Coordinates of all heavy atoms in Angstrom, one line a residue:
M1 N 0.9 -1.1 0.0 CA 0.0 0.0 0.0 C 0.9 1.2 0.0 O 1.8 1.3 0.8 CB -0.9 0.0 1.3 CG -1.7 1.2 1.4 SD -2.6 1.3 3.0 CE -3.4 -0.2 3.2
R2 N 0.6 2.2 -0.8 CA 1.3 3.4 -0.9 C 0.6 4.5 -0.1 O -0.6 4.8 -0.4 CB 1.4 3.8 -2.3 CG 2.4 3.0 -3.1 CD 3.0 3.8 -4.2 NE 4.2 3.5 -4.8 CZ 5.4 3.6 -4.3 NH1 5.5 4.0 -3.0 NH2 6.4 3.4 -4.9
Y3 N 1.2 5.0 0.9 CA 0.6 6.0 1.7 C 0.6 7.4 1.1 O -0.1 8.3 1.4 CB 1.2 6.0 3.1 CG 0.9 4.9 3.9 CD1 2.0 3.9 4.3 CD2 -0.3 4.5 4.3 CE1 1.7 2.8 5.0 CE2 -0.6 3.3 5.0 CZ 0.4 2.5 5.4 OH 0.1 1.4 6.1
S4 N 1.5 7.6 0.0 CA 1.6 8.9 -0.6 C 0.3 9.3 -1.2 O 0.1 10.5 -1.3 CB 2.7 8.8 -1.6 OG 2.5 7.8 -2.5
S5 N -0.6 8.4 -1.6 CA -1.8 8.8 -2.2 C -2.9 9.1 -1.1 O -3.9 9.7 -1.4 CB -2.4 7.7 -3.1 OG -2.7 6.6 -2.3
Q6 N -2.6 8.9 0.2 CA -3.4 9.1 1.3 C -2.9 10.2 2.2 O -2.8 9.9 3.4 CB -3.8 7.8 2.0 CG -4.5 6.8 1.2 CD -5.9 7.3 1.0 OE1 -6.2 7.8 -0.1 NE2 -6.8 6.9 1.8
V7 N -2.4 11.3 1.7 CA -1.8 12.3 2.6 C -2.6 13.6 2.4 O -2.9 14.0 1.2 CB -0.3 12.6 2.1 CG1 0.2 13.8 2.9 CG2 0.4 11.3 2.3
K8 N -3.1 14.2 3.5 CA -3.8 15.4 3.4 C -3.3 16.4 4.5 O -3.0 15.9 5.6 CB -5.3 15.1 3.7 CG -6.0 14.2 2.7 CD -6.2 14.9 1.4 CE -6.9 13.9 0.4 NZ -6.9 14.3 -0.9
P9 N -3.4 17.7 4.2 CA -3.0 18.6 5.3 C -4.1 18.7 6.3 O -5.3 18.4 6.1 CB -2.8 19.9 4.5 CG -3.7 19.8 3.4 CD -3.7 18.2 2.9
I10 N -3.7 19.1 7.5 CA -4.6 19.3 8.6 C -5.8 20.2 8.3 O -6.9 20.0 8.8 CB -3.9 19.6 9.9 CG1 -4.8 19.4 11.2 CG2 -3.4 21.1 9.9 CD1 -4.1 19.4 12.5
S11 N -5.5 21.2 7.4 CA -6.6 22.2 7.1 C -7.7 21.4 6.2 O -8.9 21.7 6.4 CB -6.1 23.3 6.2 OG -5.4 22.7 5.1
Y12 N -7.3 20.4 5.5 CA -8.3 19.6 4.8 C -9.1 18.8 5.8 O -10.4 18.7 5.6 CB -7.6 18.6 3.8 CG -8.6 17.8 3.1 CD1 -9.2 18.2 1.9 CD2 -8.9 16.5 3.5 CE1 -10.1 17.4 1.2 CE2 -9.8 15.7 2.8 CZ -10.3 16.1 1.6 OH -11.2 15.3 0.9
L13 N -8.5 18.2 6.8 CA -9.2 17.5 7.8 C -10.2 18.4 8.5 O -11.4 18.0 8.7 CB -8.2 16.9 8.9 CG -8.8 16.1 10.0 CD1 -9.6 14.9 9.5 CD2 -7.7 15.7 11.0
R14 N -9.8 19.6 8.9 CA -10.7 20.6 9.6 C -11.9 20.9 8.8 O -13.0 20.9 9.2 CB -9.9 21.8 9.9 CG -9.0 21.7 11.1 CD -8.6 23.1 11.5 NE -7.3 23.1 12.2 CZ -6.2 23.5 11.8 NH1 -6.1 24.2 10.6 NH2 -5.0 23.3 12.4
A15 N -11.7 21.1 7.4 CA -12.8 21.5 6.6 C -13.6 20.3 6.1 O -14.8 20.5 5.7 CB -12.2 22.1 5.3
N16 N -13.2 19.1 6.1 CA -13.9 18.0 5.6 C -13.9 16.8 6.5 O -13.9 15.6 6.1 CB -13.2 17.5 4.3 CG -13.2 18.6 3.3 OD1 -14.2 18.9 2.7 ND2 -12.0 19.2 3.0
T17 N -14.1 17.0 7.8 CA -14.0 15.9 8.9 C -15.1 14.8 8.5 O -14.6 13.6 8.6 CB -14.3 16.5 10.2 OG1 -13.4 17.5 10.5 CG2 -14.2 15.4 11.3
A18 N -16.3 15.1 8.3 CA -17.3 14.1 8.1 C -16.9 13.2 6.8 O -17.0 12.0 6.8 CB -18.7 14.7 7.9
K19 N -16.5 14.0 5.7 CA -16.1 13.3 4.5 C -14.9 12.3 4.8 O -14.9 11.2 4.3 CB -15.8 14.3 3.4 CG -15.4 13.7 2.1 CD -15.0 14.8 1.2 CE -14.5 14.3 -0.1 NZ -14.2 15.3 -1.1
V20 N -13.9 12.8 5.5 CA -12.8 12.0 5.8 C -13.2 10.8 6.6 O -12.7 9.7 6.3 CB -11.7 12.8 6.6 CG1 -10.6 12.0 7.1 CG2 -11.1 13.9 5.7
L21 N -14.0 11.0 7.6 CA -14.4 9.8 8.4 C -15.1 8.8 7.6 O -15.0 7.6 7.7 CB -15.3 10.2 9.6 CG -14.5 11.1 10.7 CD1 -15.5 11.5 11.7 CD2 -13.4 10.4 11.2
A22 N -16.0 9.2 6.7 CA -16.8 8.3 5.8 C -15.8 7.6 4.9 O -15.9 6.4 4.7 CB -17.8 9.1 5.0
Q23 N -14.8 8.3 4.4 CA -13.8 7.7 3.4 C -12.9 6.7 4.2 O -12.7 5.6 3.7 CB -12.9 8.8 2.9 CG -11.9 8.3 2.0 CD -11.0 9.5 1.4 OE1 -11.2 10.6 1.8 NE2 -10.0 9.1 0.7
L24 N -12.6 6.9 5.5 CA -11.8 6.0 6.3 C -12.6 4.7 6.4 O -12.1 3.6 6.3 CB -11.4 6.6 7.6 CG -10.4 7.7 7.7 CD1 -10.2 8.3 9.0 CD2 -9.0 7.1 7.2
A25 N -13.8 4.8 6.8 CA -14.7 3.6 7.1 C -14.9 2.9 5.8 O -15.0 1.6 5.8 CB -16.0 4.1 7.6
G26 N -15.0 3.6 4.6 CA -15.4 2.9 3.4 C -14.2 2.2 2.8 O -14.2 1.1 2.3
Q27 N -13.0 2.9 2.7 CA -11.9 2.4 2.1 C -11.0 1.5 3.0 O -10.2 0.8 2.5 CB -11.0 3.6 1.6 CG -11.7 4.3 0.4 CD -10.9 5.4 -0.2 OE1 -9.8 5.7 0.3 NE2 -11.4 6.0 -1.2
R28 N -11.1 1.8 4.3 CA -10.3 1.1 5.3 C -8.8 1.2 5.0 O -8.0 0.3 5.2 CB -10.7 -0.4 5.3 CG -12.1 -0.5 5.8 CD -12.5 -1.8 6.4 NE -11.7 -2.0 7.5 CZ -11.6 -3.3 8.1 NH1 -12.2 -4.3 7.6 NH2 -10.9 -3.5 9.2
E29 N -8.4 2.4 4.6 CA -7.0 2.8 4.3 C -6.7 4.0 5.3 O -7.5 4.8 5.4 CB -6.7 3.1 2.9 CG -6.8 2.0 1.9 CD -6.5 2.4 0.5 OE1 -6.0 3.5 0.3 OE2 -6.6 1.5 -0.3
P30 N -5.5 3.8 5.9 CA -5.1 5.0 6.8 C -4.9 6.2 6.0 O -4.6 6.3 4.8 CB -3.8 4.5 7.5 CG -3.3 3.5 6.5 CD -4.5 2.9 5.8
L31 N -5.0 7.4 6.7 CA -4.8 8.7 6.1 C -3.7 9.4 6.9 O -3.8 9.6 8.2 CB -6.1 9.4 6.1 CG -6.1 10.9 5.6 CD1 -5.8 10.9 4.1 CD2 -7.4 11.6 5.9
V32 N -2.7 9.8 6.2 CA -1.6 10.6 6.8 C -2.0 12.1 6.8 O -2.3 12.6 5.8 CB -0.3 10.4 6.1 CG1 0.9 11.2 6.7 CG2 0.1 8.9 6.1
I33 N -1.9 12.7 8.0 CA -2.2 14.1 8.1 C -0.9 14.9 8.4 O -0.1 14.5 9.1 CB -3.1 14.3 9.4 CG1 -4.5 13.6 9.2 CG2 -3.3 15.8 9.6 CD1 -5.3 14.0 8.0
T34 N -0.7 16.0 7.5 CA 0.4 16.8 7.7 C 0.2 18.1 8.3 O -1.0 18.6 8.2 CB 1.1 17.0 6.2 OG1 0.1 17.8 5.5 CG2 1.4 15.7 5.5
Q35 N 1.2 18.7 8.9 CA 1.1 20.0 9.4 C 2.4 20.7 9.0 O 3.5 20.2 9.2 CB 1.0 19.9 11.0 CG 0.8 21.3 11.6 CD 0.6 21.2 13.1 OE1 1.1 20.2 13.7 NE2 -0.3 22.0 13.6
N36 N 2.3 21.7 8.4 CA 3.4 22.6 7.8 C 4.3 21.7 6.9 O 5.5 21.7 6.9 CB 4.3 23.1 9.0 CG 3.5 24.1 9.8 OD1 2.7 24.9 9.3 ND2 3.8 24.1 11.1
G37 N 3.6 20.8 6.1 CA 4.3 20.0 5.1 C 5.0 18.8 5.7 O 5.6 18.0 5.0
E38 N 4.8 18.5 7.0 CA 5.5 17.3 7.7 C 4.4 16.4 8.2 O 3.4 16.8 8.8 CB 6.3 17.9 8.8 CG 7.2 16.9 9.5 CD 8.1 17.5 10.6 OE1 8.5 18.6 10.4 OE2 8.3 16.8 11.5
A39 N 4.6 15.1 8.0 CA 3.6 14.1 8.5 C 3.6 14.2 10.0 O 4.7 14.1 10.6 CB 4.1 12.7 8.1
K40 N 2.4 14.3 10.5 CA 2.3 14.4 12.1 C 1.4 13.3 12.6 O 1.5 13.0 13.8 CB 1.6 15.8 12.4 CG 2.6 16.9 12.1 CD 3.7 17.0 13.1 CE 4.6 18.1 12.9 NZ 5.7 18.2 13.9
A41 N 0.5 12.8 11.9 CA -0.5 11.8 12.5 C -1.0 10.9 11.4 O -1.0 11.2 10.2 CB -1.6 12.5 13.1
V42 N -1.5 9.7 11.8 CA -2.2 8.8 10.9 C -3.6 8.5 11.4 O -3.7 8.1 12.6 CB -1.4 7.5 10.8 CG1 -2.1 6.5 9.9 CG2 0.0 7.7 10.3
L43 N -4.6 8.7 10.6 CA -6.0 8.4 11.0 C -6.3 7.1 10.4 O -6.0 6.7 9.3 CB -6.9 9.5 10.5 CG -6.8 10.8 11.1 CD1 -7.8 11.8 10.4 CD2 -7.0 10.8 12.6
Q44 N -7.0 6.3 11.2 CA -7.4 4.9 10.8 C -8.9 4.7 11.3 O -9.1 5.1 12.4 CB -6.4 4.0 11.4 CG -6.5 2.6 11.0 CD -5.4 1.7 11.6 OE1 -5.0 2.0 12.7 NE2 -5.0 0.7 10.9
D45 N -9.6 3.9 10.5 CA -10.9 3.5 11.0 C -10.8 2.5 12.2 O -9.8 1.9 12.4 CB -11.8 2.9 9.9 CG -11.3 1.6 9.4 OD1 -10.3 1.6 8.7 OD2 -11.9 0.5 9.8
V46 N -11.8 2.5 13.0 CA -11.8 1.7 14.3 C -11.6 0.2 14.0 O -10.8 -0.5 14.6 CB -13.0 1.9 15.1 CG1 -13.1 1.0 16.3 CG2 -13.2 3.4 15.6
A47 N -12.3 -0.3 13.0 CA -12.2 -1.8 12.7 C -10.8 -2.1 12.3 O -10.2 -3.1 12.7 CB -13.2 -2.2 11.6
S48 N -10.1 -1.3 11.5 CA -8.8 -1.6 11.1 C -7.9 -1.5 12.2 O -6.9 -2.2 12.4 CB -8.3 -0.6 9.9 OG -9.0 -0.8 8.8
F49 N -8.0 -0.4 13.1 CA -7.3 -0.3 14.3 C -7.3 -1.6 15.2 O -6.3 -2.0 15.7 CB -7.7 1.0 15.1 CG -6.9 1.1 16.3 CD1 -5.7 1.7 16.4 CD2 -7.5 0.9 17.6 CE1 -5.0 1.8 17.6 CE2 -6.9 1.0 18.8 CZ -5.6 1.5 18.8
E50 N -8.6 -2.0 15.4 CA -8.7 -3.2 16.3 C -8.1 -4.4 15.7 O -7.4 -5.2 16.4 CB -10.2 -3.5 16.5 CG -10.9 -2.5 17.4 CD -12.4 -2.6 17.5 OE1 -13.1 -3.3 16.6 OE2 -13.0 -2.0 18.4
E51 N -8.1 -4.6 14.4 CA -7.4 -5.7 13.7 C -5.9 -5.6 13.9 O -5.3 -6.6 14.1 CB -7.7 -5.7 12.1 CG -9.1 -6.2 11.9 CD -9.5 -6.1 10.4 OE1 -8.6 -5.7 9.6 OE2 -10.7 -6.3 10.1
T52 N -5.4 -4.3 13.7 CA -4.0 -4.1 13.9 C -3.6 -4.5 15.3 O -2.5 -5.1 15.6 CB -3.6 -2.6 13.6 OG1 -4.0 -2.3 12.3 CG2 -2.2 -2.3 13.8
Q53 N -4.4 -4.0 16.4 CA -4.0 -4.3 17.7 C -4.1 -5.8 18.1 O -3.2 -6.4 18.7 CB -5.0 -3.6 18.7 CG -4.9 -2.1 18.6 CD -3.5 -1.6 18.9 OE1 -2.9 -1.9 20.0 NE2 -2.9 -0.9 18.0
E54 N -5.0 -6.6 17.4 CA -5.0 -8.0 17.6 C -3.9 -8.7 16.9 O -3.3 -9.6 17.5 CB -6.4 -8.6 17.1 CG -7.6 -8.2 17.8 CD -8.8 -8.6 17.1 OE1 -8.9 -9.3 15.9 OE2 -9.9 -8.3 17.6
T55 N -3.5 -8.2 15.8 CA -2.3 -8.8 15.1 C -1.1 -8.5 15.9 O -0.2 -9.4 16.1 CB -2.1 -8.1 13.7 OG1 -3.3 -8.4 12.9 CG2 -0.9 -8.7 13.0
L56 N -0.9 -7.3 16.4 CA 0.3 -7.0 17.3 C 0.3 -7.9 18.5 O 1.4 -8.4 18.9 CB 0.3 -5.5 17.7 CG 0.6 -4.5 16.6 CD1 0.4 -3.1 17.1 CD2 2.0 -4.8 16.0
A57 N -0.9 -8.1 19.1 CA -0.9 -9.0 20.3 C -0.4 -10.5 20.0 O 0.3 -11.1 20.7 CB -2.3 -9.1 20.9
L58 N -0.9 -10.9 18.8 CA -0.5 -12.3 18.3 C 1.0 -12.3 18.1 O 1.8 -13.3 18.4 CB -1.2 -12.7 17.2 CG -2.7 -13.1 17.3 CD1 -3.4 -13.3 16.0 CD2 -2.8 -14.3 18.2
L59 N 1.5 -11.3 17.5 CA 3.0 -11.3 17.2 C 3.8 -11.2 18.5 O 4.9 -11.8 18.6 CB 3.3 -10.1 16.3 CG 2.8 -10.2 14.8 CD1 3.0 -8.9 14.0 CD2 3.5 -11.3 14.1
K60 N 3.3 -10.4 19.4 CA 4.0 -10.3 20.7 C 4.0 -11.7 21.4 O 5.0 -12.1 22.0 CB 3.3 -9.3 21.7 CG 4.0 -9.0 22.9 CD 3.4 -8.0 23.8 CE 4.2 -7.7 25.1 NZ 3.7 -6.6 25.8
T61 N 2.9 -12.4 21.4 CA 2.8 -13.8 21.9 C 3.9 -14.7 21.2 O 4.5 -15.4 22.0 CB 1.4 -14.3 21.8 OG1 0.5 -13.4 22.5 CG2 1.3 -15.7 22.4
L62 N 3.9 -14.6 19.9 CA 4.8 -15.4 19.2 C 6.3 -15.1 19.6 O 7.1 -16.0 19.8 CB 4.7 -15.2 17.7 CG 3.4 -16.0 17.1 CD1 3.3 -15.5 15.7 CD2 3.5 -17.5 17.2
A63 N 6.6 -13.8 19.7 CA 7.9 -13.4 20.1 C 8.3 -13.9 21.5 O 9.5 -14.3 21.7 CB 8.0 -11.8 20.0
L64 N 7.4 -13.8 22.4 CA 7.7 -14.3 23.8 C 7.8 -15.7 23.7 O 8.7 -16.3 24.5 CB 6.5 -14.0 24.7 CG 6.3 -12.4 25.0 CD1 5.0 -12.1 25.8 CD2 7.5 -11.9 25.8
G65 N 7.1 -16.5 22.9 CA 7.3 -17.9 22.9 C 8.6 -18.3 22.3 O 9.3 -19.2 22.8
N66 N 9.1 -17.6 21.3 CA 10.4 -17.7 20.7 C 11.5 -17.5 21.7 O 12.5 -18.2 21.7 CB 10.6 -16.9 19.4 CG 9.8 -17.4 18.2 OD1 9.5 -18.7 18.2 ND2 9.5 -16.6 17.2
Q67 N 11.3 -16.4 22.5 CA 12.3 -16.1 23.6 C 12.4 -17.2 24.6 O 13.4 -17.6 25.0 CB 11.9 -14.8 24.3 CG 12.1 -13.6 23.5 CD 11.6 -12.3 24.1 OE1 11.1 -12.4 25.3 NE2 11.9 -11.1 23.5
E68 N 11.2 -17.8 25.0 CA 11.2 -18.9 25.9 C 11.9 -20.1 25.3 O 12.6 -20.8 26.0 CB 9.8 -19.2 26.4 CG 9.3 -18.1 27.4 CD 7.9 -18.4 27.9 OE1 7.3 -19.4 27.6 OE2 7.4 -17.5 28.7
L69 N 11.6 -20.4 24.0 CA 12.2 -21.5 23.3 C 13.7 -21.3 23.3 O 14.4 -22.3 23.6 CB 11.7 -21.6 21.9 CG 12.1 -22.7 21.1 CD1 11.6 -24.1 21.7 CD2 11.6 -22.6 19.6
A70 N 14.2 -20.1 23.0 CA 15.6 -19.9 22.9 C 16.3 -20.0 24.3 O 17.5 -20.4 24.4 CB 15.9 -18.5 22.3
A71 N 15.5 -19.7 25.3 CA 16.1 -19.7 26.7 C 16.0 -21.2 27.3 O 16.3 -21.4 28.5 CB 15.3 -18.8 27.6
G72 N 15.4 -22.1 26.6 CA 15.2 -23.4 27.0 C 14.1 -23.7 28.0 O 14.1 -24.8 28.7
K73 N 13.2 -22.8 28.0 CA 12.1 -22.9 28.9 C 10.9 -23.7 28.2 O 9.8 -23.0 28.0 CB 11.6 -21.5 29.4 CG 12.6 -20.7 30.2 CD 12.1 -19.4 30.5 CE 13.1 -18.5 31.3 NZ 12.5 -17.3 31.7
I74 N 11.1 -24.8 27.9 CA 10.2 -25.7 27.2 C 9.9 -27.0 27.9 O 10.7 -27.4 28.6 CB 10.6 -25.9 25.7 CG1 11.9 -26.7 25.8 CG2 10.7 -24.6 25.0 CD1 12.4 -27.1 24.4
K75 N 8.7 -27.5 27.6 CA 8.4 -28.8 28.1 C 7.8 -29.6 27.1 O 7.2 -29.1 26.1 CB 7.3 -28.7 29.2 CG 7.8 -28.0 30.5 CD 6.7 -28.1 31.6 CE 7.1 -27.3 32.8 NZ 8.3 -27.5 33.4
S76 N 8.0 -30.9 27.0 CA 7.5 -31.8 26.0 C 6.0 -31.9 26.2 O 5.4 -31.7 27.2 CB 8.1 -33.2 26.1 OG 7.7 -33.8 27.3
A77 N 5.3 -32.3 25.1 CA 3.9 -32.5 25.1 C 3.5 -33.6 26.2 O 2.5 -33.5 26.8 CB 3.3 -33.0 23.7
A78 N 4.3 -34.6 26.3 CA 4.1 -35.7 27.3 C 4.1 -35.1 28.7 O 3.3 -35.5 29.5 CB 5.1 -36.8 27.1
E79 N 5.1 -34.3 29.0 CA 5.2 -33.7 30.3 C 3.9 -32.8 30.6 O 3.4 -32.9 31.7 CB 6.4 -32.8 30.5 CG 7.7 -33.5 30.5 CD 8.9 -32.5 30.5 OE1 9.1 -31.8 29.5 OE2 9.5 -32.4 31.6
V80 N 3.5 -32.0 29.7 CA 2.3 -31.2 29.8 C 1.1 -32.1 30.1 O 0.2 -31.9 30.9 CB 2.1 -30.3 28.7 CG1 0.7 -29.5 28.8 CG2 3.3 -29.3 28.5
A81 N 0.9 -33.1 29.3 CA -0.2 -34.0 29.4 C -0.2 -34.8 30.8 O -1.4 -34.8 31.4 CB -0.2 -35.0 28.3
T82 N 0.9 -35.1 31.2 CA 1.0 -35.7 32.6 C 0.6 -34.8 33.6 O -0.2 -35.1 34.5 CB 2.4 -36.3 32.8 OG1 2.7 -37.2 31.8 CG2 2.6 -36.9 34.2
R83 N 1.0 -33.6 33.5 CA 0.7 -32.5 34.5 C -0.8 -32.3 34.5 O -1.4 -32.1 35.6 CB 1.5 -31.3 34.3 CG 1.3 -30.2 35.3 CD 2.2 -29.0 35.0 NE 1.8 -28.0 35.9 CZ 2.2 -26.7 35.7 NH1 3.1 -26.4 34.7 NH2 1.9 -25.8 36.6
L84 N -1.3 -32.2 33.3 CA -2.9 -31.8 33.2 C -3.6 -33.0 33.8 O -4.6 -32.7 34.5 CB -3.2 -31.6 31.7 CG -2.7 -30.3 31.1 CD1 -3.0 -30.3 29.7 CD2 -3.4 -29.1 31.8
R85 N -3.2 -34.2 33.5 CA -3.9 -35.4 34.1 C -3.9 -35.4 35.7 O -4.8 -35.7 36.3 CB -3.3 -36.7 33.6 CG -3.8 -37.0 32.2 CD -3.3 -38.3 31.7 NE -3.3 -38.4 30.3 CZ -2.2 -38.4 29.5 NH1 -1.0 -38.4 30.1 NH2 -2.3 -38.4 28.2
A86 N -2.7 -35.0 36.2 CA -2.5 -35.0 37.6 C -3.4 -33.9 38.2 O -4.0 -34.1 39.2 CB -1.0 -34.7 37.9
N87 N -3.5 -32.7 37.6 CA -4.3 -31.7 38.0 C -5.8 -32.1 38.0 O -6.5 -31.7 38.9 CB -4.1 -30.4 37.2 CG -2.8 -29.7 37.6 OD1 -2.1 -30.0 38.6 ND2 -2.4 -28.8 36.7
R88 N -6.2 -32.8 37.0 CA -7.6 -33.2 36.8 C -7.9 -34.2 37.9 O -9.0 -34.2 38.5 CB -7.8 -33.8 35.4 CG -9.3 -34.0 35.2 CD -9.6 -34.6 33.8 NE -9.1 -33.7 32.8 CZ -8.9 -34.0 31.6 NH1 -9.1 -35.3 31.2 NH2 -8.5 -33.2 30.7
A89 N -7.0 -35.1 38.3 CA -7.3 -36.1 39.3 C -7.4 -35.5 40.6 O -8.1 -36.1 41.4 CB -6.1 -37.1 39.3
T90 N -6.8 -34.4 40.9 CA -6.9 -33.8 42.2 C -8.1 -32.9 42.4 O -8.4 -32.5 43.5 CB -5.6 -33.0 42.6 OG1 -5.4 -31.9 41.7 CG2 -4.4 -33.8 42.6
D91 N -8.7 -32.6 41.2 CA -9.9 -31.7 41.4 C -11.2 -32.3 41.7 O -11.5 -33.3 41.8 CB -10.1 -31.0 40.0 CG -9.1 -29.9 39.7 OD1 -8.4 -29.4 40.7 OD2 -9.0 -29.5 38.5

């Protein structure tokens, strides 16, 4: 995706807020807002933002798992199954 086609000055946002919000929801592409010719913010529809946050959470979980794997903090499936059976027997 090229963000260069989705760049607007802050004055455009002020003058066309409703139009911008409708466009964000319809196209589901972020909009870069500039101030004095410099990129200052990115606007995104709520659904896309939530998807991004969920993706980041999954990636963080994977990264933590890889760190634990590299540190040797792993257990075999058999060990986990034995532990689960033991916990179930005591409940």
Side-chain angles (χ1 to χ4, degrees):
M1 172 189 314
R2 291 204 153 291
Y3 293 115
S4 59
S5 66
Q6 293 292 90
V7 177
K8 299 289 183 196
I10 196 166
S11 58
Y12 180 85
L13 177 63
R14 281 191 205 116
N16 300 285
T17 305
K19 180 180 176 181
V20 168
L21 293 176
Q23 182 181 355
L24 287 171
Q27 293 181 356
R28 298 200 62 194
E29 291 184 4
L31 177 67
V32 177
I33 300 298
T34 62
Q35 187 175 34
N36 299 322
E38 188 176 325
K40 291 291 184 175
V42 177
L43 292 179
Q44 186 177 33
D45 67 283
V46 173
S48 294
F49 176 77
E50 289 173 343
E51 288 174 8
T52 300
Q53 294 303 304
E54 289 172 6
T55 300
L56 288 173
L58 288 172
L59 289 171
K60 184 174 182 177
T61 301
L62 287 172
L64 290 172
N66 284 337
Q67 288 175 356
E68 289 184 357
L69 182 65
K73 297 179 180 179
I74 58 173
K75 295 190 186 306
S76 70
E79 287 176 293
V80 172
T82 301
R83 182 175 173 194
L84 289 173
R85 283 188 203 105
N87 285 345
R88 190 179 300 164
T90 60
D91 287 342

